[in-house]
Amino acid sequence: MLKIPEGGSGGQDREQTRPGVLVNNWLLLAPLSSNIKHISQLRTLIFVAWVLGYVAFLLSIRRMWTGRYARSPAVRSLFMNMAGNDVAAIDTQEWYRCCPDLLGESLQPLFVQSHLDAGTKAFLKHSVEKSGWLLTQLYHSFVSTILSPLVSRTSINGFLGRGSMFVFSAEQFQQLLRIGPEWRAEKLLDLGAGDGGVTEVMRAHFREVYATEVSLPMKWHLQRRNYKVLGIDEWQQTGFQYDVISCLNLLDRCNDPLHLLQDIRRSLVPNTGRLILAAVLPFQPYVETGGRWQRPKEHLKVEGKTWEEQVTHLSNEVFRRAGFEMEAVTRLPYLCEGDMYNDYYVLDDAVFVLKASDNSESTAH
């Protein structure tokens, strides 16, 4: 038998082939590994370039160099001192202006004149400060751009913790209801309460506070404030009634506004129960579904071109048809926290105090 001695040529050949195989494999894999690395780097570079381009675009369209849009507190303060305090007065005096003579004759004595008070000023100040948080506003804008095709604006605001609303201050609420700071009642229901910021203004006057909201992130905010959150088909079937129901800027955002008013009427404590209803004028009803806006199933048409004319039509036609009569009305700004483009957003609101009329049945439908 032929033996191959240790260290002979056969053993050497086998040992010598191993490095060669490894070298060949490395030569084959090296270009592939390099390509993968380059692709990963290219993706990272593209993403970074996109983010930087997005930020540059947002910064380029920001109107930073006028008094209203100046983000630096020092620059804003300097501008306002140069322009004088009349600038703020010019911006806000129209928010509360009403010509009572243009209201229906029966409504003229019911108009309550409001004004820019300390509570409203505090909200505006906080909104201006918050709109100047550059990194926060960039983050909010980025997330909104990504989510807006899929999620409602209300839910996006709830997720980001932004977009708080302001309808009235505690003093304005008391003035409308003709109550004092010590007045207390049993139950308040705030329909479409959002994050609960406006509900907070009213809660001091009630022992139990209930709220409804469609948006899940907004429900989380309400629960954190310890409000009792009811389903949108549950609040009118609880077995008890409410001393006050607030329906603030919801009438133009629901599918069946007259049916909603009828449910509210039945859910109020008889005789003493009151509805506080706010409506943006001019009245333009739309319903938000996902990230889309569409017309409601029941289109409530409010006639009139001016604020006063639409208030008169709402009172004499819509509310009376739903079984309500008006006790008081005022004009207030409907304020919303701003963003990187505006310090705040404002719409014209009519805020009504309504009670059930003597007729036991509504003529609606």
Side-chain angles (χ1 to χ4, degrees):
M1 178 181 290
L2 180 62
K3 293 184 179 180
I4 300 176
E6 292 182 12
S9 62
Q12 290 175 354
D13 289 343
R14 286 193 296 271
E15 291 298 322
Q16 288 173 357
T17 60
R18 293 178 184 174
V21 172
L22 293 175
V23 169
N24 289 336
N25 289 341
W26 181 83
L27 290 175
L28 291 172
L29 294 173
L32 180 61
S33 176
S34 177
N35 288 338
I36 294 175
K37 183 177 180 181
H38 287 160
I39 291 173
S40 177
Q41 291 175 343
L42 182 61
R43 287 178 176 175
T44 302
L45 187 62
I46 291 173
F47 177 76
V48 171
W50 180 82
V51 171
L52 292 176
Y54 181 79
V55 171
F57 168 74
L58 292 177
L59 291 175
S60 69
I61 61 176
R62 287 187 70 201
R63 293 167 287 182
M64 298 178 63
W65 303 112
T66 64
R68 183 174 181 178
Y69 298 102
R71 289 296 179 261
S72 166
V75 173
R76 183 185 299 278
S77 176
L78 177 62
F79 182 90
M80 293 304 293
N81 287 335
M82 292 172 60
N85 293 330
D86 290 340
V87 174
I90 293 173
D91 285 342
T92 60
Q93 63 182 358
E94 293 296 326
W95 294 352
Y96 306 94
R97 187 184 300 278
C98 172
C99 297
D101 292 342
L102 300 180
L103 294 170
E105 185 176 352
S106 62
L107 306 183
Q108 293 176 12
L110 305 180
F111 176 74
V112 177
Q113 181 64 58
S114 299
H115 62 277
L116 183 68
D117 63 0
T120 310
K121 289 179 181 177
F123 179 86
L124 291 172
K125 180 181 179 182
H126 176 73
S127 183
V128 170
E129 292 173 351
K130 194 172 180 179
S131 70
W133 300 347
L134 179 59
L135 293 180
T136 299
Q137 297 301 338
L138 286 173
Y139 169 70
H140 287 175
S141 182
F142 176 76
V143 173
S144 296
T145 302
I146 299 299
L147 297 181
S148 57
L150 305 172
V151 184
S152 70
R153 184 181 304 173
T154 302
S155 292
I156 293 173
N157 288 341
F159 172 74
L160 294 173
R162 71 169 192 181
S164 291
M165 305 294 188
F166 184 93
V167 179
F168 42 64
S169 65
E171 291 77 13
Q172 290 164 345
F173 175 72
Q174 294 167 14
Q175 182 184 26
L176 271 174
L177 280 182
R178 299 187 181 94
I179 60 175
E182 304 302 321
W183 182 84
R184 295 291 183 275
E186 288 295 326
K187 294 178 175 66
L188 165 70
L189 170 65
D190 191 7
L191 297 172
D195 64 0
V198 182
T199 319
E200 190 72 22
V201 174
M202 302 180 283
R203 77 176 302 173
H205 295 284
F206 301 91
R207 295 178 179 86
E208 298 178 46
V209 179
Y210 299 84
T212 70
E213 179 56 55
V214 175
S215 167
L216 183 58
M218 290 301 187
K219 287 182 180 180
W220 296 338
H221 285 287
L222 294 171
Q223 290 167 348
R224 280 198 292 268
R225 292 177 181 263
N226 294 321
Y227 298 135
K228 300 174 182 177
V229 181
L230 302 176
I232 58 173
D233 296 320
E234 179 187 4
W235 60 270
Q236 63 277 65
Q237 300 174 358
T238 57
F240 55 80
Q241 294 172 306
Y242 308 92
D243 296 279
V244 172
I245 295 178
S246 59
C247 180
L248 306 177
N249 303 299
L250 184 61
L251 205 63
D252 58 348
R253 293 295 178 261
C254 66
N255 269 316
D256 197 347
L258 286 176
H259 183 73
L260 173 64
L261 288 172
Q262 287 182 301
D263 283 343
I264 290 174
R265 188 180 185 279
R266 286 190 292 265
S267 300
L268 285 170
V269 172
N271 300 322
T272 60
R274 295 294 182 269
L275 165 62
I276 300 179
L277 186 144
V280 174
L281 300 180
F283 194 80
Q284 297 176 337
Y286 281 94
V287 178
E288 188 178 15
T289 304
R292 301 169 54 191
W293 292 94
Q294 58 188 23
R295 287 284 187 180
K297 295 177 181 178
E298 179 188 42
H299 179 65
L300 187 63
K301 185 177 180 180
V302 178
E303 298 178 359
K305 295 181 179 180
T306 67
W307 185 89
E308 292 84 357
E309 288 174 348
Q310 291 208 352
V311 165
T312 301
H313 185 269
L314 279 169
S315 176
N316 294 342
E317 301 297 332
V318 177
F319 299 152
R320 186 171 297 175
R321 182 181 172 193
F324 285 100
E325 61 180 270
M326 196 171 78
E327 277 196 339
V329 62
T330 190
R331 183 172 184 172
L332 290 171
Y334 179 29
L335 298 168
C336 176
E337 285 182 347
D339 49 29
M340 63 187 301
Y341 312 114
N342 292 283
D343 295 334
Y344 52 83
Y345 292 91
V346 58
L347 296 169
D348 278 329
D349 243 359
V351 184
F352 303 86
V353 178
L354 304 172
K355 65 177 181 179
S357 60
D358 294 335
N359 297 328
S360 58
E361 296 183 1
S362 170
T363 60
H365 299 296

